């Protein structure tokens, strides 16, 4: 099966460098008209420049594609709205949104200023929220939309010095889970990408030899599967160095403790059963958990009636 985006319009945030640049070039090569968004700041989010985004647009145009650059700061809703308005004026639709823009402000939590925590949340979480909000009604009206969040192993599993980044990266998964439910009836699918790649974000963390193995294009090959017409929904795809995996959230079947026995000690004694992964399952939505527990309680009541 060939993946094609001909006739589609894609917005890629943070597309001046690294992964976003690679995503934008690949989407354009596969036929999409691409909005190359980038604020053009430094790795820590300071400053601004249009040079990187302009260069990506030029490469796309030289290859015969269509693209324009927009310097919106994704953390600023008015700027994001302007980008989406310009896209609608020019091309009349938005099929794909890749929420990729990001920064780092690493420090241990003990040393971290709240301002550095807030800024990272503003860019990663609120940036994704702002861009999604600005295209959501358009995608609903079109009855078509594909949105990708960029999460991180630092959020899903933790990483020293990245409480701010990890919290924001995990938050976009929570955002995705409910968007999936609310977007379903309008054919809007939302997935997440957890990349590992050699970019300016990671250049001082790994040796040159390892960085050479972590090409952004390997991640982009995975990204493309998350935003085409037959894309999955609610998939967390991890990609790096040619390895591809999926992170999934399971809940154990759990244990039931009747009202007259409910106490910390009773929960403690049931911990092996509570944590037993034998009958674990993926829950389709939050209320499924309440339903499961109520069924256990009802079964206990019925057995003792
Ligand atoms: P990068 O620094 O090379 O690229 C990020 C781009 O986002 C830059 O061009 C930057 O100018 C732009 N940007 C930053 N703040 C912005 C804002 N407020 N508005 C618009 N644009 C903004 O980094 P990258 O490694 O390509 O990261 C891309 C995404 O992948 C990020 O969300 C990052 O957190 C995530 N990620 C990367 C890795 C990795 O190994 N590189 C791992 C996990 C997650």
């Amino acid at each position: 099966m060939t993946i094609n985006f001909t006739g589609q319009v894609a917005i890629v945030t943070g597309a001046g460098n690294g992964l976003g640049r690679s995503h934008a070039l690949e989407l354009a090569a596969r036929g999409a008209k691409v909005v190359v968004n980038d604020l053009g700041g430094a790795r820590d989010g300071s400053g601004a420049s249009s040079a990187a985004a302009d260069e990506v647009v030029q490469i796309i145009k030289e290859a015969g594609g269509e693209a324009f650059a927009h310097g919106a700061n994704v953390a600023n809703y008015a700027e994001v709205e302007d980008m989406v308005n310009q896209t609608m004026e020019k091309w009349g639709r938005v099929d794909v949104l890749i929420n990729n823009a990001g920064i780092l402000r690493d420090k241990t939590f003990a040393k971290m200023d709240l301002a550095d925590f807030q800024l990272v949340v503003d860019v990663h979480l609120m940036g994704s929220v702002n861009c999604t909000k600005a295209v959501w009604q358009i995608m609903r009206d079109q009855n078509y939309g594909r949105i990708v969040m960029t999460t991180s192993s630092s959020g899903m599993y933790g990483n020293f010095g990245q409480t701010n980044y990890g919290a924001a990266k995990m938050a976009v998964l929570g955002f995705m889970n409910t968007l999936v439910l609310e977007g379903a009836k309008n054919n809007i699918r939302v997935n997440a990408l957890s990349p590992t790649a050699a970019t300016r974000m990671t250049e001082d963390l790994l040796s040159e030899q390892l960085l050479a193995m972590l090409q952004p294009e390997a991640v982009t090959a995975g990204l493309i599967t998350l935003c085409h017409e037959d894309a999955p929904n609610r998939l967390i795809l991890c990609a790096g160095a040619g390895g591809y995996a999926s992170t999934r959230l399971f809940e154990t079947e759990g244990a039931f403790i009747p009202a007259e026995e409910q106490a910390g000690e009773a929960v403690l004694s049931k911990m092996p059963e509570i944590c037993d992964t034998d009958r674990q399952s993926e829950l389709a939505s939050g209320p499924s958990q309440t339903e499961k527990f109520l069924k256990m309680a009802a079964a206990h009541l019925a057995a003792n009636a």
Side-chain angles (χ1 to χ4, degrees):
M1 183 198 156
T2 309
I3 301 176
N4 199 296
F5 295 91
T6 304
Q8 296 197 2
V9 175
I11 297 177
V12 184
T13 70
N17 294 288
L19 288 162
R21 179 183 196 272
S22 171
H23 298 339
L25 292 177
E26 182 67 8
L27 283 163
R30 288 175 180 269
K33 299 179 183 109
V34 181
V35 182
V36 178
N37 160 259
D38 209 292
L39 173 65
R43 189 173 82 162
D44 68 357
S46 57
S49 156
S50 67
D54 288 342
E55 193 200 311
V56 175
V57 168
Q58 199 184 330
I59 297 170
I60 292 173
K61 285 188 171 166
E62 278 169 5
E66 285 184 69
F68 76 89
H70 196 287
N73 173 356
V74 292
N76 180 318
Y77 188 70
E79 293 180 21
V80 168
E81 219 177 13
D82 179 69
M83 170 173 73
V84 173
N85 287 343
Q86 285 192 32
T87 309
M88 290 303 283
E89 276 162 30
K90 207 168 160 58
W91 293 324
R93 55 187 296 119
V94 180
D95 300 283
V96 174
L97 168 66
I98 311 296
N99 285 309
N100 165 81
I103 59 164
L104 288 179
R105 291 266 169 123
D106 291 3
K107 262 183 196 151
T108 59
F109 191 59
K111 291 185 182 147
M112 188 178 295
D113 289 340
L114 286 179
D116 284 341
F117 202 106
Q118 187 70 56
L119 185 70
V120 167
V121 169
D122 284 348
V123 173
H124 289 276
L125 172 59
M126 292 315 296
S128 301
V129 171
N130 289 337
C131 294
T132 303
K133 181 69 179 168
V135 303
W136 192 248
Q137 192 54 44
I138 295 167
M139 288 183 170
R140 278 165 51 89
D141 292 344
Q142 288 171 179
N143 269 314
Y144 188 87
R146 300 288 180 263
I147 299 173
V148 179
M149 305 293 167
T150 305
T151 183
S152 170
S153 55
S154 299
M156 297 189 292
Y157 313 122
N159 198 14
F160 202 91
Q162 293 195 323
T163 50
N164 52 357
Y165 180 76
K169 286 309 208 186
M170 197 63 189
V172 298
L173 296 181
F175 183 41
M176 169 183 81
N177 288 337
T178 290
L179 286 176
V180 163
L181 301 174
E182 296 183 6
K185 71 173 190 297
N186 292 109
N187 188 19
I188 303 174
R189 298 183 197 168
V190 191
N191 294 291
L193 179 71
S194 175
T196 307
T199 66
R200 64 182 194 168
M201 209 175 250
T202 48
E203 65 193 359
D204 49 358
L205 306 176
L206 296 165
S207 69
E208 257 182 46
Q209 196 187 2
L210 293 180
L211 289 171
M213 294 164 73
L214 288 162
Q215 291 310 303
E217 290 73 17
V219 174
T220 297
L223 176 275
I224 291 297
T225 70
L226 298 179
C227 59
H228 70 116
E229 200 173 341
D230 293 326
N233 212 357
R234 203 189 181 187
L235 184 75
I236 303 170
L237 182 70
C238 313
Y244 303 89
S246 174
T247 300
R248 295 166 70 177
L249 200 59
F250 294 91
E251 184 169 300
T252 62
E253 182 58 20
F256 178 75
I257 303 171
E260 60 279 13
E261 292 170 32
Q262 284 161 13
E265 291 77 5
V267 177
L268 207 54
S269 72
K270 290 266 192 189
M271 213 45 98
E273 196 183 333
I274 291 169
C275 296
D276 181 2
T277 54
D278 267 4
R279 287 190 300 141
Q280 67 184 8
S281 61
E282 253 179 325
L283 304 187
S285 67
S288 313
Q289 189 192 65
T290 313
E291 211 174 284
K292 179 177 78 178
F293 288 153
L294 286 174
K295 270 189 192 156
M296 285 178 172
H300 174 79
L301 280 179
N304 292 283

